mmCIF file of all heavy atoms in Angstrom:
data_model
loop_
_atom_site.group_PDB
_atom_site.id
_atom_site.type_symbol
_atom_site.label_atom_id
_atom_site.label_comp_id
_atom_site.label_asym_id
_atom_site.label_seq_id
_atom_site.Cartn_x
_atom_site.Cartn_y
_atom_site.Cartn_z
ATOM 1 N N GLU A 1 -43.888 84.931 -131.415
ATOM 2 C CA GLU A 1 -44.901 84.747 -132.358
ATOM 3 C C GLU A 1 -45.669 83.525 -132.151
ATOM 4 O O GLU A 1 -46.948 83.465 -132.093
ATOM 5 C CB GLU A 1 -44.322 84.847 -133.836
ATOM 6 C CG GLU A 1 -45.312 84.649 -134.944
ATOM 7 C CD GLU A 1 -46.318 85.860 -135.121
ATOM 8 O OE1 GLU A 1 -45.888 86.978 -134.675
ATOM 9 O OE2 GLU A 1 -47.425 85.731 -135.530
ATOM 10 N N ARG A 2 -44.940 82.394 -131.860
ATOM 11 C CA ARG A 2 -45.564 81.143 -131.580
ATOM 12 C C ARG A 2 -46.343 81.154 -130.333
ATOM 13 O O ARG A 2 -47.476 80.537 -130.186
ATOM 14 C CB ARG A 2 -44.522 79.955 -131.540
ATOM 15 C CG ARG A 2 -43.912 79.702 -132.884
ATOM 16 C CD ARG A 2 -43.332 78.243 -132.812
ATOM 17 N NE ARG A 2 -42.160 78.206 -131.846
ATOM 18 C CZ ARG A 2 -40.918 78.535 -132.143
ATOM 19 N NH1 ARG A 2 -40.581 78.886 -133.297
ATOM 20 N NH2 ARG A 2 -39.921 78.386 -131.233
ATOM 21 N N ARG A 3 -45.826 81.795 -129.268
ATOM 22 C CA ARG A 3 -46.482 81.960 -127.998
ATOM 23 C C ARG A 3 -47.843 82.734 -128.241
ATOM 24 O O ARG A 3 -48.877 82.479 -127.565
ATOM 25 C CB ARG A 3 -45.598 82.688 -126.973
ATOM 26 C CG ARG A 3 -46.309 82.883 -125.597
ATOM 27 C CD ARG A 3 -45.335 83.522 -124.656
ATOM 28 N NE ARG A 3 -45.893 83.691 -123.320
ATOM 29 C CZ ARG A 3 -46.859 84.624 -122.920
ATOM 30 N NH1 ARG A 3 -47.110 85.671 -123.812
ATOM 31 N NH2 ARG A 3 -47.396 84.582 -121.702
ATOM 32 N N TYR A 4 -47.766 83.812 -128.950
ATOM 33 C CA TYR A 4 -49.009 84.555 -129.175
ATOM 34 C C TYR A 4 -50.176 83.727 -129.854
ATOM 35 O O TYR A 4 -51.234 83.849 -129.447
ATOM 36 C CB TYR A 4 -48.717 85.913 -130.073
ATOM 37 C CG TYR A 4 -49.898 86.381 -130.770
ATOM 38 C CD1 TYR A 4 -50.801 87.141 -129.959
ATOM 39 C CD2 TYR A 4 -50.180 86.341 -131.997
ATOM 40 C CE1 TYR A 4 -52.064 87.787 -130.537
ATOM 41 C CE2 TYR A 4 -51.250 86.804 -132.605
ATOM 42 C CZ TYR A 4 -52.285 87.496 -131.801
ATOM 43 O OH TYR A 4 -53.417 88.082 -132.446
ATOM 44 N N GLU A 5 -49.581 82.863 -130.859
ATOM 45 C CA GLU A 5 -50.681 82.097 -131.514
ATOM 46 C C GLU A 5 -51.285 81.169 -130.480
ATOM 47 O O GLU A 5 -52.474 80.815 -130.446
ATOM 48 C CB GLU A 5 -49.975 81.301 -132.601
ATOM 49 C CG GLU A 5 -49.422 82.190 -133.892
ATOM 50 C CD GLU A 5 -50.673 82.874 -134.523
ATOM 51 O OE1 GLU A 5 -51.726 82.415 -134.396
ATOM 52 O OE2 GLU A 5 -50.522 83.951 -135.171
ATOM 53 N N VAL A 6 -50.498 80.471 -129.689
ATOM 54 C CA VAL A 6 -50.907 79.666 -128.572
ATOM 55 C C VAL A 6 -51.872 80.349 -127.728
ATOM 56 O O VAL A 6 -52.890 79.925 -127.298
ATOM 57 C CB VAL A 6 -49.784 78.846 -127.943
ATOM 58 C CG1 VAL A 6 -50.229 78.191 -126.748
ATOM 59 C CG2 VAL A 6 -49.079 78.075 -128.783
ATOM 60 N N ALA A 7 -51.368 81.541 -127.208
ATOM 61 C CA ALA A 7 -52.298 82.227 -126.155
ATOM 62 C C ALA A 7 -53.510 82.613 -126.808
ATOM 63 O O ALA A 7 -54.522 82.648 -126.161
ATOM 64 C CB ALA A 7 -51.560 83.599 -125.750
ATOM 65 N N ARG A 8 -53.556 83.045 -128.003
ATOM 66 C CA ARG A 8 -54.842 83.420 -128.780
ATOM 67 C C ARG A 8 -55.856 82.212 -128.869
ATOM 68 O O ARG A 8 -56.963 82.318 -128.725
ATOM 69 C CB ARG A 8 -54.399 84.067 -130.141
ATOM 70 C CG ARG A 8 -55.671 84.597 -130.872
ATOM 71 C CD ARG A 8 -55.279 85.233 -132.186
ATOM 72 N NE ARG A 8 -56.283 85.879 -132.944
ATOM 73 C CZ ARG A 8 -57.061 85.233 -133.761
ATOM 74 N NH1 ARG A 8 -57.104 83.958 -133.922
ATOM 75 N NH2 ARG A 8 -58.098 85.995 -134.236
ATOM 76 N N ARG A 9 -55.059 81.127 -129.253
ATOM 77 C CA ARG A 9 -55.948 79.939 -129.426
ATOM 78 C C ARG A 9 -56.561 79.502 -128.017
ATOM 79 O O ARG A 9 -57.661 79.050 -127.922
ATOM 80 C CB ARG A 9 -55.171 78.806 -129.966
ATOM 81 C CG ARG A 9 -55.899 77.512 -130.338
ATOM 82 C CD ARG A 9 -55.078 76.493 -131.187
ATOM 83 N NE ARG A 9 -53.789 76.067 -130.612
ATOM 84 C CZ ARG A 9 -52.665 76.544 -131.059
ATOM 85 N NH1 ARG A 9 -52.573 77.385 -132.126
ATOM 86 N NH2 ARG A 9 -51.580 76.160 -130.523
ATOM 87 N N LEU A 10 -55.701 79.537 -127.028
ATOM 88 C CA LEU A 10 -56.208 79.270 -125.678
ATOM 89 C C LEU A 10 -57.299 80.092 -125.231
ATOM 90 O O LEU A 10 -58.334 79.659 -124.584
ATOM 91 C CB LEU A 10 -55.015 79.224 -124.718
ATOM 92 C CG LEU A 10 -53.986 77.946 -124.937
ATOM 93 C CD1 LEU A 10 -52.849 78.196 -123.887
ATOM 94 C CD2 LEU A 10 -54.709 76.636 -124.641
ATOM 95 N N TYR A 11 -57.172 81.451 -125.523
ATOM 96 C CA TYR A 11 -58.238 82.390 -125.183
ATOM 97 C C TYR A 11 -59.487 82.090 -125.796
ATOM 98 O O TYR A 11 -60.618 82.098 -125.223
ATOM 99 C CB TYR A 11 -57.793 83.847 -125.486
ATOM 100 C CG TYR A 11 -58.826 84.718 -125.016
ATOM 101 C CD1 TYR A 11 -58.912 85.186 -123.626
ATOM 102 C CD2 TYR A 11 -59.633 85.370 -125.841
ATOM 103 C CE1 TYR A 11 -60.008 85.999 -123.259
ATOM 104 C CE2 TYR A 11 -60.664 86.323 -125.491
ATOM 105 C CZ TYR A 11 -60.758 86.569 -124.206
ATOM 106 O OH TYR A 11 -61.695 87.508 -123.849
ATOM 107 N N VAL A 12 -59.399 81.794 -127.118
ATOM 108 C CA VAL A 12 -60.629 81.395 -127.921
ATOM 109 C C VAL A 12 -61.354 80.228 -127.316
ATOM 110 O O VAL A 12 -62.537 80.233 -127.211
ATOM 111 C CB VAL A 12 -60.320 81.279 -129.402
ATOM 112 C CG1 VAL A 12 -61.586 80.703 -130.166
ATOM 113 C CG2 VAL A 12 -59.872 82.598 -129.962
ATOM 114 N N MET A 13 -60.532 79.268 -126.908
ATOM 115 C CA MET A 13 -61.020 77.990 -126.233
ATOM 116 C C MET A 13 -61.485 78.194 -124.793
ATOM 117 O O MET A 13 -62.039 77.226 -124.261
ATOM 118 C CB MET A 13 -59.947 76.931 -126.299
ATOM 119 C CG MET A 13 -59.540 76.543 -127.734
ATOM 120 S SD MET A 13 -58.150 75.555 -127.823
ATOM 121 C CE MET A 13 -58.724 74.141 -126.822
ATOM 122 N N GLY A 14 -61.310 79.409 -124.298
ATOM 123 C CA GLY A 14 -61.674 79.688 -122.986
ATOM 124 C C GLY A 14 -60.875 78.997 -121.891
ATOM 125 O O GLY A 14 -61.269 79.054 -120.655
ATOM 126 N N LYS A 15 -59.540 78.795 -122.266
ATOM 127 C CA LYS A 15 -58.646 78.247 -121.280
ATOM 128 C C LYS A 15 -57.614 79.168 -120.830
ATOM 129 O O LYS A 15 -56.628 78.781 -120.232
ATOM 130 C CB LYS A 15 -57.922 76.975 -121.938
ATOM 131 C CG LYS A 15 -58.885 75.863 -122.205
ATOM 132 C CD LYS A 15 -58.211 74.602 -122.959
ATOM 133 C CE LYS A 15 -59.026 73.605 -123.154
ATOM 134 N NZ LYS A 15 -58.402 72.447 -123.767
ATOM 135 N N SER A 16 -57.727 80.448 -121.216
ATOM 136 C CA SER A 16 -56.753 81.533 -120.849
ATOM 137 C C SER A 16 -57.473 82.763 -120.558
ATOM 138 O O SER A 16 -58.653 82.979 -120.994
ATOM 139 C CB SER A 16 -55.779 81.622 -121.973
ATOM 140 O OG SER A 16 -54.754 82.640 -121.640
ATOM 141 N N THR A 17 -56.746 83.652 -119.814
ATOM 142 C CA THR A 17 -57.453 84.914 -119.497
ATOM 143 C C THR A 17 -56.920 86.027 -120.487
ATOM 144 O O THR A 17 -56.055 85.871 -121.195
ATOM 145 C CB THR A 17 -57.022 85.455 -118.160
ATOM 146 O OG1 THR A 17 -55.674 85.628 -118.030
ATOM 147 C CG2 THR A 17 -57.388 84.267 -117.020
ATOM 148 N N ILE A 18 -57.649 87.110 -120.437
ATOM 149 C CA ILE A 18 -57.330 88.273 -121.280
ATOM 150 C C ILE A 18 -56.013 88.813 -120.884
ATOM 151 O O ILE A 18 -55.289 89.430 -121.795
ATOM 152 C CB ILE A 18 -58.407 89.453 -121.115
ATOM 153 C CG1 ILE A 18 -58.161 90.547 -122.107
ATOM 154 C CG2 ILE A 18 -58.502 90.041 -119.738
ATOM 155 C CD1 ILE A 18 -58.362 90.071 -123.610
ATOM 156 N N LEU A 19 -55.529 88.717 -119.661
ATOM 157 C CA LEU A 19 -54.354 89.241 -119.322
ATOM 158 C C LEU A 19 -53.216 88.383 -119.805
ATOM 159 O O LEU A 19 -52.236 88.997 -120.437
ATOM 160 C CB LEU A 19 -54.111 89.114 -117.705
ATOM 161 C CG LEU A 19 -55.066 90.101 -116.997
ATOM 162 C CD1 LEU A 19 -54.866 89.890 -115.271
ATOM 163 C CD2 LEU A 19 -54.857 91.596 -117.263
ATOM 164 N N ASP A 20 -53.322 87.054 -119.971
ATOM 165 C CA ASP A 20 -52.293 86.427 -120.648
ATOM 166 C C ASP A 20 -52.238 86.649 -122.125
ATOM 167 O O ASP A 20 -51.267 86.747 -122.663
ATOM 168 C CB ASP A 20 -52.719 84.828 -120.504
ATOM 169 C CG ASP A 20 -52.593 84.374 -119.086
ATOM 170 O OD1 ASP A 20 -51.747 84.921 -118.339
ATOM 171 O OD2 ASP A 20 -53.250 83.461 -118.741
ATOM 172 N N LEU A 21 -53.446 86.938 -122.721
ATOM 173 C CA LEU A 21 -53.435 87.276 -124.168
ATOM 174 C C LEU A 21 -52.750 88.621 -124.426
ATOM 175 O O LEU A 21 -51.887 88.788 -125.356
ATOM 176 C CB LEU A 21 -54.825 87.368 -124.702
ATOM 177 C CG LEU A 21 -55.001 87.833 -126.151
ATOM 178 C CD1 LEU A 21 -54.318 86.824 -127.061
ATOM 179 C CD2 LEU A 21 -56.561 87.764 -126.562
ATOM 180 N N ASN A 22 -52.895 89.585 -123.553
ATOM 181 C CA ASN A 22 -52.380 90.961 -123.708
ATOM 182 C C ASN A 22 -50.957 90.928 -123.527
ATOM 183 O O ASN A 22 -50.194 91.428 -124.113
ATOM 184 C CB ASN A 22 -53.042 91.874 -122.673
ATOM 185 C CG ASN A 22 -54.355 92.437 -123.041
ATOM 186 O OD1 ASN A 22 -54.776 92.218 -124.261
ATOM 187 N ND2 ASN A 22 -55.223 92.874 -122.103
ATOM 188 N N SER A 23 -50.531 89.990 -122.515
ATOM 189 C CA SER A 23 -49.037 89.845 -122.308
ATOM 190 C C SER A 23 -48.376 89.070 -123.612
ATOM 191 O O SER A 23 -47.210 89.650 -123.925
ATOM 192 C CB SER A 23 -48.821 88.925 -121.116
ATOM 193 O OG SER A 23 -47.381 88.734 -120.930
ATOM 194 N N ALA A 24 -49.119 88.240 -124.181
ATOM 195 C CA ALA A 24 -48.547 87.600 -125.356
ATOM 196 C C ALA A 24 -48.448 88.617 -126.456
ATOM 197 O O ALA A 24 -47.405 88.559 -127.299
ATOM 198 C CB ALA A 24 -49.354 86.392 -125.756
ATOM 199 N N ILE A 25 -49.423 89.411 -126.696
ATOM 200 C CA ILE A 25 -49.423 90.427 -127.794
ATOM 201 C C ILE A 25 -48.202 91.430 -127.464
ATOM 202 O O ILE A 25 -47.464 91.820 -128.385
ATOM 203 C CB ILE A 25 -50.718 91.191 -127.731
ATOM 204 C CG1 ILE A 25 -51.912 90.155 -128.234
ATOM 205 C CG2 ILE A 25 -50.622 92.366 -128.698
ATOM 206 C CD1 ILE A 25 -53.270 90.938 -128.133
ATOM 207 N N SER A 26 -48.084 91.855 -126.327
ATOM 208 C CA SER A 26 -46.983 92.920 -125.997
ATOM 209 C C SER A 26 -45.495 92.217 -126.293
ATOM 210 O O SER A 26 -44.738 92.864 -126.774
ATOM 211 C CB SER A 26 -47.112 93.318 -124.528
ATOM 212 O OG SER A 26 -46.091 94.037 -124.096
#
């Protein structure tokens, strides 16, 4: 859950890719 929040925040900031976000959601 914490990793997902971090991945989502990083994606919004433009510091992560959609693949990382999808992986965190899964």
Side-chain angles (χ1 to χ4, degrees):
E1 181 68 28
R2 289 197 302 269
R3 180 180 183 274
Y4 163 71
E5 294 296 337
V6 172
R8 187 175 184 275
R9 186 166 57 251
L10 290 175
Y11 179 76
V12 171
M13 296 170 60
K15 297 180 179 181
S16 177
T17 66
I18 188 63
L19 294 178
D20 292 333
L21 179 60
N22 287 341
S23 176
I25 293 173
S26 177

